[in-house]
Amino acid sequence: MLGGALFPNKIEGTHTTQEGPRLGDTTVQNSAYGIDIPIAFNTIRFAGNIIWASEIKETQHVNTYSSGGGGGKGGGGGGESTSTQITYTYAVDLAIGICQGPLTSIKKIWANSKLIYDIDGTGTNAEVSIHLGTETQTADSYIQSVEGATYTPAYRGLAYVVFQNYQ
């Protein structure tokens, strides 16, 4: 993009397209059956285990830029040229099992050293549903909307969180 701005093409009506990087590997995180479910006493940190995930959603962003003709110092008066820049962002819906419930609360959630949820409202407060792991908890409504009520377990006795459109 910088080269196109510093050294614009002098040919009338040129168009260039630049495409940004894309994910080559679309796995989110490894998850395994048979992993111990931790038991929490008092306040403690846990790294969760993914118990459900949707397909990764790729969103394409297209920006088109144009530079007018009108010759400059060097004469030549090249015509208008355009360039298109294509970038991609990715999102996923996922549920992460935390520990055996019931819990009284989940106070903070961190991802890659970034606070994404805080019970006091100081985090980014991502789209998150919290299930405290009671024996009477119902299935998550968002997972039900994706998988159907018949195929969605309630994960009773397991504290877990569900993220929607996690970037």
Side-chain angles (χ1 to χ4, degrees), residues 82-166:
T82 60
S83 64
T84 301
Q85 181 182 30
I86 302 171
T87 57
Y88 300 90
T89 56
Y90 298 90
V92 67
D93 305 316
L94 53 105
I96 300 176
I98 306 294
C99 66
Q100 182 177 335
L103 301 178
T104 55
S105 67
I106 294 178
K107 295 183 179 183
K108 295 182 182 191
I109 300 173
W110 298 80
N112 295 329
S113 301
K114 180 180 177 188
L115 181 64
I116 58 173
Y117 172 82
D118 189 340
I119 197 168
D120 297 329
T122 56
T124 61
N125 289 323
E127 295 178 69
V128 60
S129 301
I130 296 177
H131 301 272
L132 298 176
T134 64
E135 290 298 328
T136 58
Q137 76 186 2
T138 57
D140 182 78
S141 60
Y142 183 74
I143 297 176
Q144 279 184 333
S145 72
V146 174
E147 299 292 338
T150 306
Y151 302 106
T152 306
Y155 298 110
R156 291 190 172 115
L158 178 70
Y160 70 102
V161 294
V162 178
F163 293 96
Q164 295 177 37
N165 292 316
Y166 183 72

